[in-house]
Amino acid sequence: MAAYLMHNQASRKGEGQGGGSWEMAISALGYVCIRASDLKAWERFGVEVLGLQAVVSDGSLLLRVDNRAWRFRVDLGDEDDVVGVGWECASEADYLATLAHLGDSATVDPVLAAARGVRALARFTDPAGMACELHWGPTDAPHQPFTSSAGVNGFVTGEQGLGHVVIVTQDPAGFEAFYKGLGFSVSDYIDMRMGPDFVLPITFMHCNPRHHTLAFAPAPAVFTKKCIHLMLQTRDLDDVGFAIDRAEKAGTPISMTLGRHSNDEMLSVYFDTPSNFEFEYGWGARVIEPGWQVERRDAISKWGHKMVGGPVNRG
Ligand SMILES: [Fe+2]
């Protein structure tokens, strides 16, 4: 982590990104809130396919990924989409500095902080219209160790945070500038050819050693959700294979076949969630290292990742 921080401090100072300083930073994706029309289906998907641990609390479905009290919260609602991205700061000082940067656009919400089990929280909406929850001091529950009834041997979290989220925005340049102001740096760009006449430009950004915690693209109208996909990374390669078997058994559609991404080099498969956006389940991604060079590519994958039945996120 020290090498990463040194690199990140140097690169931010060197690039003068967003007019911010390295102290003022989001450090990780802390949690994700979803509203879904079928909580039972999400519980089955979360537990039986993803191998997460379910906790039902006051009618909400909480899904655990590690020793944090929860990482995904699913509430009943018609949106069938991600409705809250929890951006975590590593310290109160980072939280306060980021809050100051957001200024009047953020609203401190002690009631929501208590509900989320964090020390402090402020709500803001990003330029794509995604509801975001800046926070610090999440609840760790090592006295209730994470257990997977599906037998998954854990996920890569810790300093890399929960995973990544991919969001639709029609203003990628503005979106990139906004998140640079919150401490993110560009990892790379991919111009994804989706047809003979259509190329989708995707931007990937990091805020810790994970290759990308946030990605975004001006997705066409066929993508009707704010969230294109979420991602979890397993510790063991076999857990991706076991999840494919569990998905087939549970009748969960695979939306993109097993493949190796061209930029983070993650070996992954994509499932169709009960809310009809995608969930990437992968292993073996490379991390951001000192001397990182931003590159562009023309394809999202070295091999595989064949779309099954067209884009999933189609309303
Ligand atoms: Fe992804």
Side-chain angles (χ1 to χ4, degrees):
M1 186 64 177
Y4 167 77
L5 274 178
M6 284 173 64
H7 152 69
N8 218 31
Q9 289 167 26
S11 69
R12 284 178 192 176
K13 281 175 181 167
E15 293 167 23
Q17 292 174 350
S21 63
W22 64 269
E23 293 91 351
M24 178 200 70
I26 287 167
S27 64
L29 176 63
Y31 58 79
V32 171
C33 300
I34 295 161
R35 269 205 286 272
S37 52
D38 189 343
L39 288 192
K40 272 287 162 207
W42 263 98
E43 184 172 350
R44 282 197 303 276
F45 176 68
V47 173
E48 294 176 22
V49 179
L50 302 181
L52 308 184
Q53 182 179 5
V55 181
V56 177
S57 171
D58 291 335
S60 298
L61 170 65
L62 303 179
L63 292 169
R64 300 185 74 205
V65 171
D66 53 18
N67 281 355
R68 290 280 177 86
W70 64 282
R71 287 288 200 172
F72 297 100
R73 178 190 174 105
V74 191
D75 284 303
L76 202 57
D78 295 332
E79 289 90 340
D80 275 310
D81 202 350
V82 168
V83 295
V85 176
W87 292 124
E88 182 177 316
C89 293
S91 69
E92 183 178 26
D94 283 354
Y95 166 79
L96 291 174
T98 311
L99 188 58
H101 172 79
L102 287 165
D104 291 342
S105 63
T107 305
V108 175
D109 192 334
V111 175
L112 192 57
R116 299 289 191 248
V118 298
R119 292 287 299 168
L121 179 153
R123 290 181 281 109
F124 67 96
T125 303
D126 77 12
M130 178 62 81
C132 295
E133 300 178 5
L134 183 76
H135 65 276
W136 75 281
T139 301
D140 188 38
H143 57 297
Q144 296 167 321
F146 167 75
T147 55
S148 167
S149 60
V152 175
N153 186 31
F155 297 89
V156 177
T157 56
E159 67 177 3
Q160 295 192 38
L162 173 58
H164 69 232
V165 57
V166 183
I167 292 173
V168 175
T169 175
Q170 298 308 323
D171 176 20
F175 203 73
E176 180 183 316
F178 179 81
Y179 276 96
K180 278 179 175 171
L182 297 179
F184 284 74
S185 300
V186 171
S187 307
D188 40 42
Y189 303 94
I190 298 179
D191 295 316
M192 177 187 181
R193 182 162 291 284
M194 296 189 74
D197 302 316
F198 184 67
V199 173
L200 184 68
I202 312 172
T203 306
F204 298 82
M205 299 186 84
H206 60 271
C207 61
N208 60 44
R210 189 182 294 284
H211 173 276
H212 59 282
T213 290
L214 173 68
F216 47 92
V222 68
F223 288 85
T224 58
K225 318 275 185 187
K226 288 186 173 124
C227 175
I228 297 177
H229 73 257
L230 301 170
M231 187 284 301
L232 279 178
Q233 182 175 341
T234 61
R235 288 184 190 151
D236 295 345
L237 170 59
D238 279 346
D239 279 329
V240 176
F242 284 131
I244 293 170
D245 284 353
R246 292 195 302 269
E248 287 175 355
K249 189 176 173 198
T252 297
I254 288 172
S255 57
M256 282 218 286
T257 61
L258 190 68
R260 175 82 79 172
H261 276 307
S262 61
N263 57 349
D264 66 358
E265 299 181 356
M266 177 175 278
L267 189 79
S268 64
V269 65
Y270 288 67
F271 302 124
D272 186 359
T273 69
S275 289
N276 203 212
F277 58 80
E278 292 182 300
F279 204 112
E280 182 182 9
Y281 200 85
W283 170 86
R286 63 179 175 150
V287 295
I288 300 290
E289 291 176 335
W292 184 264
Q293 184 176 352
V294 176
E295 296 169 319
R296 67 165 294 281
R297 294 179 177 81
D298 292 319
I300 62 163
S301 305
K302 291 181 173 180
W303 53 267
H305 286 146
K306 298 284 186 285
M307 223 175 264
V308 181
V312 158
N313 191 346
R314 54 192 177 274

